[in-house]
Amino acid sequence: MSYQSGPAPLFHSDRSLDHWLSPELSAISPANARSRLREIAGARGAYMGAWAAGIGIGGILVLLGVVLAVRLGTFATVAALSLPGAAVAVFCGVFYVRVRDRLPRTSRALVNRGPGSMRGAFSFVGFILVVFIALLGFTAKPSTWQDPGALLTLATILVFMVALLVVGIIVPATIMGRSRESLRRKAATDPRFRALLEQDLATWRDPIGDAGYGPL
């Protein structure tokens, strides 16, 4: 892992954590310049986004099981979908809290093939929905638009598709896009998390050169 540094970089221990966390330093630093704090924020945001998506998907499974149980008149879908969905949501929720309150393992390579910001996520989701609705409009039979039951089924499918896109793409992209602000806020409001950063600041050394601990 390499780091970019400006001319005559200062050794990170010569500056306090507040200095590296300051929005002013971030504002005057190149947006793509690497630092230890940005690496932590990016990894933390990626993990939080992934677990948050899992929580949302679990919740959707719970709701889908209930809706199908009402539509089909059987509780089999609750056992098949809602119970596993609740388990997934609880499992992901536990790990979401863990990664939110701990420093991530930045040595692992995190690959994100989706949008990295809320704006990009909305554009991507909008494109998918436009394509899906267009295909539905061209392939549906004329009688489908006159059948209330078929229209209700299509509307239900569309709602759950939108929900999946929101929790699977928009939510994690938004969390990742705000990862730096989230880390700064967490350090300001959680003394235990701030202590972890202080300890990391005292022990971390740039493995390549003499890059600073920040900016964030």
Side-chain angles (χ1 to χ4, degrees):
M1 186 69 67
S2 61
Y3 295 83
Q4 294 181 0
S5 57
L10 292 172
F11 191 65
H12 69 83
S13 61
D14 293 338
R15 291 290 184 265
S16 67
L17 182 61
D18 287 330
H19 169 79
W20 296 123
L21 287 171
S22 67
E24 293 78 10
L25 179 63
S26 177
I28 63 175
S29 302
N32 59 348
R34 289 190 172 186
S35 72
R36 172 65 174 170
L37 273 179
R38 288 181 174 181
E39 186 180 74
I40 291 174
R44 180 173 176 268
Y47 285 124
M48 287 174 59
W51 291 119
I55 295 171
I57 291 173
I60 289 174
L61 288 176
V62 172
L63 184 59
L64 181 60
V66 172
V67 170
L68 290 178
V70 173
R71 290 291 304 273
L72 302 177
T74 175
F75 286 99
T77 56
V78 174
L81 295 174
S82 297
L83 294 182
V88 169
V90 171
F91 177 81
C92 293
V94 170
F95 279 91
Y96 176 86
V97 173
R98 289 187 62 182
V99 300
R100 182 192 62 186
D101 295 338
R102 300 182 181 183
L103 296 188
R105 295 175 58 182
T106 57
S107 58
R108 290 183 177 180
L110 299 176
V111 179
N112 174 34
R113 301 189 183 279
S117 66
M118 183 171 60
R119 178 181 297 180
F122 271 107
S123 299
F124 184 66
V125 168
F127 172 76
I128 292 177
L129 289 177
V130 168
V131 172
F132 176 77
I133 294 174
L135 288 175
L136 189 63
F138 281 116
T139 58
K141 297 179 180 179
S143 58
T144 301
W145 309 109
Q146 301 175 357
D147 185 352
L151 290 176
L152 181 59
T153 299
L154 290 177
T156 302
I157 293 173
L158 183 60
V159 168
F160 277 99
M161 181 178 177
V162 171
L164 283 173
L165 290 172
V166 169
V167 301
I169 297 177
I170 293 179
V171 169
T174 301
I175 292 175
M176 287 187 290
R178 298 176 178 177
S179 60
R180 297 180 185 178
E181 293 83 355
S182 174
L183 182 67
R184 183 179 289 112
R185 184 168 57 251
K186 184 71 171 176
T189 59
D190 188 339
R192 182 181 174 276
F193 187 80
R194 182 183 177 86
L196 293 176
L197 285 176
E198 293 280 9
Q199 182 181 8
D200 189 66
L201 171 63
T203 58
W204 176 82
R205 297 295 182 272
D206 179 15
I208 304 299
D210 52 4
Y213 192 71
L216 179 60

